[in-house]
Structures are given as C-alpha cells and as structure tokens.
Amino acid sequence: GENVEQHPSTLSVQEGDSAVIKCTYSDSASNYFPWYKQELGKGPQLIIDIRSNVGEKKDQRIAVTLNKTAKHFSLHITETQPEDSAVYFCAASIEAAGNKLTFGGGTRVLVKP
Amino acid sequence: EAQVTQNPRYLITVTGKKLTVTCSQNMNHEYMSWYRQDPGLGLRQIYYSMNVEVTDKGDVPEGYKVSRKEKRNFPLILESPSPNQTSLYFCASSILAGGPDNEQFFGPGTRLTVL
C-alpha cells in the first residue's frame, strides 16, 4: 500500500520568513495530494491540494509543488505569520479508488514573532 | 452551519467496557470515514463508508466496528476497548468518494483514554 513520509517533524521560523515542508510517497498510482492544517484542539482542515496533472498550485501565501518523477511534493508558506502556527499534514490518494487518504506523520510549525 | 459533529469529545474508560463514539454530518455527504491520530504516525484510516449500508475496512480496523444505517450518521463502536486504542479519533465526510468533490471535512475529534 501507499506510504507517505513527511519532513521535518518540527519547524520553527521567524515571522516573515518562509517555511517549507516536504513529503514523499511510494505509490506511483497516487494522483491527488491534499495538505491539511490542524490547529490546537481542532480537526484537520484542507488548505490546498494538487492533482497529478499539475506541477504547481498557489493560493495567496501558500503554494504546493509536485514532482511525479521523484514522487515528492512540498508545501511552501511565504511571509509566515503567527496564525500559521499549527500542525500540517500531507496526504496522498488514488482518486479513482475511492477517497482513502494516506497521511504523512505531520509537521509542527511554530512561527516566532 | 455545515459541520461534522462527534460525541463525546473526551472519554476515559476501562478495558473491556463497550463504547460508541457518534459522528453526524449535516451536509448530505455520501462518504464518511473514521481516522485515529497518534503522535508521529499522522492519521490512519480505521473504516470508511461510500454510502448507506456500504462500509469497508481501512488500514487499522482491528478492534473496531462501524455501521451506516442513515446517510448522516456513522458511529464507531469499540466492543472491548484495550489500552492500545487510546488515541485521538476523527470522523470525516465528503460529498463523494473520488473526483473533484472529494474534499474531506473533519469533525473536532474525540480523545479516548482506555485504562
């Protein structure tokens, strides 16, 4: 089955700097890659996703890149703000095979003011 | 307000005492799923349901049961809880399974401790 690895497990950045989280996946059939943000005491919430027919996607200060050949994808947060502090999860799935998400282990991001 | 609700939010119980965690969504979603979250392991799928009366195992189904008698409800049942089921549990739902309407919406979580 699919295996997703996520690095780093913790990330501390200064407010205004950029943050990058990287994930690798094992199943070349995976074609949908969402990123979730989990704030303290809450459930994960989708912040951005990318499908395998696209190499990059941006939404304001966040962007995701996908390298299908290398089987890795990354989340980029620019101009970080204190409210970006949270745990971030990457995931992978095969859309035609239902909605089963395989998650990475998570990255705890701390933005220091 | 469109949402996924779970009850209870916190539960401390003892080994072997049957319990049920309820999950309900008010978005008319077809797909529902249960995950457990453990440190360093991310979220792992326990069971999922593509529609009413259709359920299937995820990656870690041992020790759990589910049912989907109504579209909005998807309870998680632990017949004989054990300490290794101490975890944070999330229910999620999506409009459909697969395709552009597959964004999963998560509930607030249930923290379960089995002594």
Side-chain angles (χ1 to χ4, degrees), chain B residues 94-110:
Chain B
S94 65
I95 296 175
L96 295 171
D101 290 320
N102 61 348
E103 175 186 352
Q104 292 193 33
F105 295 84
F106 284 80
T110 295

Side-chain angles (χ1 to χ4, degrees), chain A residues 36-99:
Chain A
Y36 284 84
K37 176 183 180 181
Q38 185 180 23
E39 297 177 341
L40 198 60
K42 297 184 178 180
Q45 184 173 13
L46 181 71
I47 56 172
I48 195 168
D49 57 14
I50 191 167
R51 289 178 167 83
S52 59
N53 57 347
V54 175
E56 183 176 0
K57 185 176 179 181
K58 287 184 179 180
D59 184 2
Q60 299 181 8
R61 295 186 298 107
I62 60 174
V64 58
T65 59
L66 171 65
N67 183 326
K68 286 173 55 181
T69 304
K71 289 191 283 194
H72 66 69
F73 56 113
S74 301
L75 178 72
H76 304 252
I77 307 173
T78 58
E79 300 172 23
T80 53
Q81 301 168 4
E83 53 264 36
D84 294 328
S85 295
V87 179
Y88 293 81
F89 292 98
C90 63
S93 77
I94 304 172
E95 282 197 304
N99 213 0

Side-chain angles (χ1 to χ4, degrees), chain B residues 77-115:
Chain B
I77 303 157
L78 284 72
E79 296 267 3
S80 182
S82 63
N84 64 11
Q85 292 179 298
T86 293
S87 187
L88 179 58
Y89 291 86
F90 287 101
C91 179
S93 71
S94 65
I95 296 175
L96 295 171
D101 290 320
N102 61 348
E103 175 186 352
Q104 292 193 33
F105 295 84
F106 284 80
T110 295
R111 185 166 292 281
L112 172 65
T113 301
V114 183
L115 302 175

Side-chain angles (χ1 to χ4, degrees), chain B residues 47-58:
Chain B
Y47 269 95
Y48 66 96
S49 170
M50 304 279 271
N51 213 325
V52 176
E53 301 292 0
V54 180
T55 63
D56 208 346
K57 296 177 181 178

